[in-house]
């Protein structure tokens, strides 16, 4: 039992709700978890502006529980199975949830399987739809609590999804460095503690490899249980929070770049040191990283990268007077390492 368990009265009826939720990209990474989606270390991300999932959820009351899902108009049976299991799992928090049939239509504003975290925006949008229904059925009207509970529910679908419910910079996982932070839901990182240089940023994603990854995030997280370097990594994430807090406050771009790239490489190093080992970077990923480093050495311009659990490269750079020089370099030198000239351009502005 916790503050999100429900035993209120509810009154269900046929409803159709729609919601939209953006993706996010972590700066300090979550990799490794305990039972019930409790993160092994705190993480912080930027919420994207343009890469979103739009979801329509139709609830047909008093029919036998079932879930039908459509992704960009195409029926997806595997996704429906996953959502069905997820709904059963969260019944104690939404006691009406198994009392009807669902038709869920969802589409992403970015290419499917592009490696942009569609599970984050996807579960974020579903959790928001569920909280819309909950408000209608139970009369709950506290908007802040609804958002917090949506984050809590999204986390149970896909850990990093809980961060997508808020704009700007978002923290998930308990850390002494952020007041109110929790393992159960995400919280907004205070805007006033983020220097202006970090509040108007580009994230251009190079689609180095499109299609299924060889190892899923779930398996990857699981392999941290036996990784001999895991404990040190979890501790380092805490240390990096302390460093990042100062960096964000004083606007130290050089230190920011060092920390964010280190986090991305550590994530992939953990994969390489798992048993069995796995590598999600591709030749193109490494070529791009080396070119970024050479570019920085030559020009001193603040172009840097982060990586998710995949081969694609998130190119980060401030939106300022130098951005056109950086953009030119990306188009001329980096896009050639993608599979199909794939690039998704997003921004973070808050
Ligand atoms: O939320 P999951 O279980 O898909 O894990 C995602 C983990 C990373 O994207 C690699 C890091 C993060 O913090 O988002």
């Amino acid at each position: 039992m916790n503050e999100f368990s429900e035993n209120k009265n509810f009154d269900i009826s046929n409803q159709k709700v729609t919601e939209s939720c953006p993706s996010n990209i972590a700066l300090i990474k979550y990799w490794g978890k305990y039972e019930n989606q409790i993160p092994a270390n705190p993480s912080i991300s930027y919420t994207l502006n343009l890469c979103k999932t739009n979801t329509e959820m139709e609830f047909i009351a008093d029919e036998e529980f079932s879930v039908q899902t459509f992704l960009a108009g195409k029926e997806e049976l595997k996704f429906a199975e996953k959502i069905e299991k997820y709904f059963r799992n969260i019944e104690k928090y939404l006691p009406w949830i198994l009392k009807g049939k669902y038709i869920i239509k969802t589409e992403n504003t970015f290419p499917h399987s592009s490696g942009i975290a569609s599970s984050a925006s996807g579960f974020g949008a579903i959790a928001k739809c569920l909280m819309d229904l909950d408000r209608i059925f139970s009369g709950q009207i506290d908007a802040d609590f609804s958002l917090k509970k949506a984050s809590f529910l999204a986390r149970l679908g896909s850990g990093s999804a809980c961060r997508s419910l808020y704009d700007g910079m978002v923290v998930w996982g308990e850390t002494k460095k952020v007041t109110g932070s929790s393992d159960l839901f995400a919280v907004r990182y205070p805007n006033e503690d983020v220097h202006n240089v970090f509040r108007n940023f580009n994230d251009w994603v190079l689609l180095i490899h499109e299609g299924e990854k060889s190892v899923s995030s779930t398996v990857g997280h699981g392999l941290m249980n036996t990784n001999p370097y895991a404990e040190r990594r979890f501790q380092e994430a805490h240390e990096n929070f302390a460093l990042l807090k100062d960096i964000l406050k004083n606007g130290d771009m050089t230190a920011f770049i060092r920390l964010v790239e280190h986090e991305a490489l550590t994530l992939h190093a953990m994969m390489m040191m798992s048993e069995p080992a796995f590598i999600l970077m591709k030749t193109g990923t490494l070529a791009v990283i080396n070119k970024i480093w050479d570019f920085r050495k030559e020009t001193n311009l603040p172009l840097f990268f982060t990586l998710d659990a995949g081969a694609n490269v998130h190119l980060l750079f401030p939106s300022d007077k130098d951005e056109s020089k950086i953009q030119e370099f990306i188009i001329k030198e980096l896009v050639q390492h993608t599979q199909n000239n794939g690039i998704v351009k997003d921004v973070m502005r808050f």
Side-chain angles (χ1 to χ4, degrees):
M1 291 293 274
N2 61 32
E3 63 178 309
F4 303 108
S5 309
E6 252 186 49
N7 51 13
K8 289 193 300 275
N9 289 334
F10 54 84
D11 190 8
I12 57 171
S13 53
N14 292 352
Q15 296 292 341
K16 198 189 270 183
V17 293
T18 56
E19 283 290 358
S20 178
C21 187
S23 187
N24 71 76
I25 178 69
L27 301 170
I28 292 179
K29 309 285 180 181
Y30 144 64
W31 197 241
K33 62 177 165 182
Y34 307 120
E35 226 181 313
N36 297 325
Q37 299 273 89
I38 298 301
N41 64 261
S43 58
I44 181 167
S45 55
Y46 264 133
T47 294
L48 301 182
N49 270 11
L50 305 174
C51 291
K52 289 186 175 170
T53 298
N54 299 320
T55 297
E56 176 192 284
M57 183 180 285
E58 188 176 353
F59 177 77
I60 304 155
D62 295 323
E63 290 220 10
E64 198 180 332
F65 172 62
S66 69
V67 178
Q68 209 179 0
T69 57
F70 296 86
L71 181 57
K74 198 172 145 267
E75 182 157 17
E76 289 279 337
L77 299 176
K78 265 218 164 110
F79 188 51
E81 248 174 63
K82 201 168 163 181
I83 298 298
E84 235 183 86
K85 200 167 146 210
Y86 167 60
F87 283 9
R88 288 186 198 282
N89 191 29
I90 58 176
E91 192 192 7
K92 51 186 167 297
Y93 306 112
L94 298 172
W96 48 264
I97 197 167
L98 304 182
K99 304 198 179 305
K101 173 181 163 175
Y102 295 81
I103 302 169
I104 299 173
K105 294 181 183 155
T106 174
E107 55 181 35
N108 297 328
T109 61
F110 49 89
H112 182 54
S113 296
S114 58
I116 296 172
S118 64
S119 66
S121 52
F123 274 102
I126 285 177
K128 279 168 98 173
C129 286
L130 290 174
M131 285 313 295
D132 287 347
L133 293 177
D134 192 56
R135 271 199 301 274
I136 298 168
F137 298 161
S138 72
Q140 160 76 255
I141 45 156
D142 182 339
D144 285 347
F145 178 78
S146 271
L147 197 57
K148 187 161 135 183
K149 185 160 173 178
S151 175
F152 171 85
L153 293 173
R155 180 194 110 244
L156 294 172
S158 161
S160 58
C162 72
R163 296 188 309 240
S164 275
L165 276 291
Y166 297 95
D167 299 335
M169 284 194 175
V170 185
V171 172
W172 169 41
E174 206 177 319
T175 158
K176 289 193 197 80
K177 298 290 158 193
V178 181
T179 317
S181 58
S182 167
D183 287 344
L184 300 183
F185 50 83
V187 294
R188 213 179 249 124
Y189 190 79
N191 279 359
E192 61 274 20
D193 291 343
V194 183
H195 193 283
N196 276 342
V197 293
F198 303 124
R199 290 169 62 173
N200 200 359
F201 239 77
N202 295 290
D203 178 7
W204 283 18
V205 192
L206 291 174
L207 308 183
I208 304 286
H209 178 78
E210 299 182 45
E212 285 281 303
K213 318 188 268 208
S214 54
V215 177
S216 71
S217 289
T218 310
V219 172
H221 285 292
L223 287 171
M224 284 300 272
N225 294 335
T226 51
N227 188 322
Y229 297 90
E231 280 311 318
R232 176 66 196 112
R233 157 62 197 154
F234 302 148
Q235 196 188 333
E236 192 197 38
H238 282 276
E239 292 159 13
N240 283 347
F241 246 93
L243 293 174
L244 185 64
K245 198 175 164 176
D246 288 343
I247 293 169
L248 292 178
K249 188 84 194 164
N250 61 30
D252 185 344
M253 187 63 75
T254 308
F256 188 61
I257 293 174
R258 194 186 311 125
L259 188 141
V260 170
E261 289 190 346
H262 176 76
E263 274 289 322
L265 293 174
T266 302
L267 168 71
H268 285 260
M270 285 298 123
M271 297 174 191
M272 290 185 219
M273 291 190 285
S274 292
E275 180 61 50
F278 61 107
I279 300 180
L280 296 182
M281 290 189 285
K282 300 278 181 198
T283 318
T285 316
L286 295 175
V288 166
I289 290 174
N290 280 307
K291 282 190 176 179
I292 291 172
W293 284 344
D294 288 344
F295 176 77
R296 266 215 317 272
K297 222 180 269 165
E298 279 162 28
T299 64
N300 243 329
L301 293 175
L303 169 66
F304 58 108
F305 68 88
T306 188
L307 307 166
D308 253 343
N312 299 331
V313 184
H314 287 250
L315 301 169
L316 300 173
F317 53 103
S319 194
D320 63 13
K321 58 175 184 8
D322 287 326
E323 74 180 339
S324 59
K325 285 184 216 145
I326 291 176
Q327 289 169 352
E328 221 171 275
F329 168 74
I330 294 172
I331 302 296
K332 197 159 154 251
E333 292 292 337
L334 302 187
V335 173
Q336 58 186 278
H337 298 287
T338 62
Q339 207 174 353
N340 301 306
N341 283 327
I343 181 161
V344 174
K345 299 173 184 176
D346 213 321
V347 287
M348 284 83 68
R349 213 161 273 148
F350 56 98

